[in-house]
Amino acid sequence: QVQVVESGGGLVQVGGSLRLSCSASVRILAPWTMGWYRQEPGKQRELVANLGTGGVPNYADSVKDRFTISRDNAKNTVYLQMNNLKAEDSGVYYCYLIRFGNTFWGQGTQVTVSS
């Protein structure tokens, strides 16, 4: 069973930074996509950023120029560097992996940005 595990969430003040990590229990073989969605209470889950085999990142408009997604193939890990955090960035961040047409989700990590 493929496992996806997030880490790096926490509490930070507005304007601060956090780095999320997402590690897969299997080698990330092409074709693949990894990324994050986030969800606030009472709202739908929304895409934050993802990265695929081609290496071209995709970002939600609300996080462009503040968040950076990157990967370490040797560690089967994708990172999300979040800078200049805003209160509206708060939520549970879920990592996902799409591999050979199957989607695997992490358990989520809480990010709270306080003002």
Side-chain angles (χ1 to χ4, degrees):
Q1 179 68 16
V2 176
Q3 291 185 322
V4 177
V5 180
E6 308 102 332
S7 62
L11 174 64
V12 65
Q13 290 187 330
V14 170
S17 298
L18 283 173
R19 189 176 81 155
L20 304 183
S21 299
C22 176
S23 297
S25 62
V26 294
R27 286 187 62 192
I28 306 175
L29 300 173
W32 61 270
T33 300
M34 286 186 76
W36 277 269
Y37 277 75
R38 69 185 175 198
Q39 188 169 26
E40 297 177 75
K43 294 185 179 181
Q44 287 189 331
R45 198 173 288 192
E46 62 174 351
L47 178 67
V48 177
N50 61 23
L51 189 62
T53 308
V56 178
N58 178 44
Y59 298 100
D61 288 342
S62 60
V63 306
K64 283 180 180 177
D65 300 324
R66 298 188 297 120
F67 291 12
T68 302
I69 189 169
S70 60
R71 66 185 178 192
D72 184 333
N73 290 340
K75 296 182 179 180
N76 302 318
T77 298
V78 173
Y79 303 97
L80 185 68
Q81 178 66 42
M82 306 186 294
N83 297 328
N84 190 22
L85 283 161
K86 303 177 180 181
E88 52 264 40
D89 293 319
S90 296
V92 179
Y93 282 66
Y94 295 93
C95 180
Y96 71 98
L97 164 66
I98 301 175
R99 180 176 180 266
F100 300 130
N102 297 306
T103 303
F104 305 93
W105 290 93
Q107 79 286 355
T109 185
Q110 178 71 45
V111 172
T112 303
V113 184
S114 67
S115 54

